[in-house]
């Protein structure tokens, strides 16, 4: 199946319509294998799952804002405040999982292990085009850029900090 969530076009992260979990637990979206989720001009705030390790496919501890086993497309979307063990904002797992982000921002996400902003595992792929990745933290690895994956293609990345 396919799902599309679209907010107002234009403006910065603060002016986008927000879906705020309030840090009280739970992620915003889970994208199962074979499904596609497109988010356009929205802000996902404060999604949270367990910051302790869990078993494959890591559904209880990875992807504070979005857990992906299908396809995720982000267009002018702001992901902030995600907390998890892996993949603070986005976690994708499996050879059928993909993440494509265009003009999106990953800011202020954190993990107790890997990939403060995004973590791609077990064949998942990802591409970032004209994105901002800033102020994300990871305790074990990928604390500076906070995007971890050997299959990640980062083109025209505007900001890494």
């Amino acid at each position: 199946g396919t799902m599309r969530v679209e907010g107002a076009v234009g403006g910065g992260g603060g002016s986008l319509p927000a879906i705020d979990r309030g840090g009280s637990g739970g992620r915003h979206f889970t994208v199962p294998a074979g499904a596609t989720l497109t988010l356009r001009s929205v802000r996902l705030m404060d999604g949270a799952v367990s910051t302790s390790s869990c078993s494959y496919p890591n559904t209880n501890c990875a992807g504070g804002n979005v857990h992906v086993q299908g396809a995720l497309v982000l267009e002018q979307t702001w992901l902030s405040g995600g907390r998890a063990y892996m993949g603070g904002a986005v976690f994708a797992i499996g050879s059928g999982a993909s993440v494509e982000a265009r003009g999106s921002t990953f800011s202020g996400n954190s993990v107790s292990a890997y990939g403060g902003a995004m973590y791609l595992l077990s064949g998942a792929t990802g591409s970032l085009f004209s994105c901002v990745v800033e102020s994300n933290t990871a305790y074990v690895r990928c604390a500076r850029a906070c995007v971890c994956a050997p299959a990640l293609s980062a083109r025209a990345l505007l900001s890494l900090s």
Side-chain angles (χ1 to χ4, degrees):
T2 299
M3 180 178 179
R4 184 173 180 91
V5 178
E6 189 164 340
V9 176
S15 65
L16 296 176
I19 304 171
D20 189 348
R21 297 288 302 186
S24 61
R27 73 175 52 90
H28 296 87
F29 297 100
T30 299
V31 184
T36 299
L37 172 63
T38 299
L39 300 173
R40 183 165 196 262
S41 299
V42 296
R43 182 175 184 153
L44 301 184
M45 300 169 56
D46 299 328
V49 295
S50 175
T51 56
S52 299
S53 179
C54 63
S55 59
Y56 186 90
N58 309 96
T59 51
N60 295 326
C61 69
N65 291 326
V66 186
H67 186 281
V68 182
Q69 288 182 287
L72 174 65
V73 178
L74 303 170
E75 301 170 352
Q76 300 169 343
T77 294
W78 189 287
L79 297 98
S80 65
R83 293 188 324 272
Y85 178 72
M86 297 183 291
V90 175
F91 176 79
I93 187 168
S95 60
S98 65
V99 178
E100 180 181 309
R102 294 182 178 276
S104 296
T105 299
F106 300 81
S107 179
N109 301 288
S110 63
V111 294
S112 54
Y114 311 103
M118 183 187 312
Y119 193 64
L120 308 178
L121 187 64
S122 299
T125 60
S127 298
L128 301 178
F129 302 92
S130 300
C131 291
V132 176
V133 180
E134 64 183 6
S135 303
N136 299 286
T137 58
Y139 181 74
V140 177
R141 186 170 49 185
C142 302
R144 184 177 183 281
C146 296
V147 177
C148 283
L152 182 69
S153 166
R155 296 185 192 106
L157 197 57
L158 296 180
S159 176
L160 277 176
S161 62

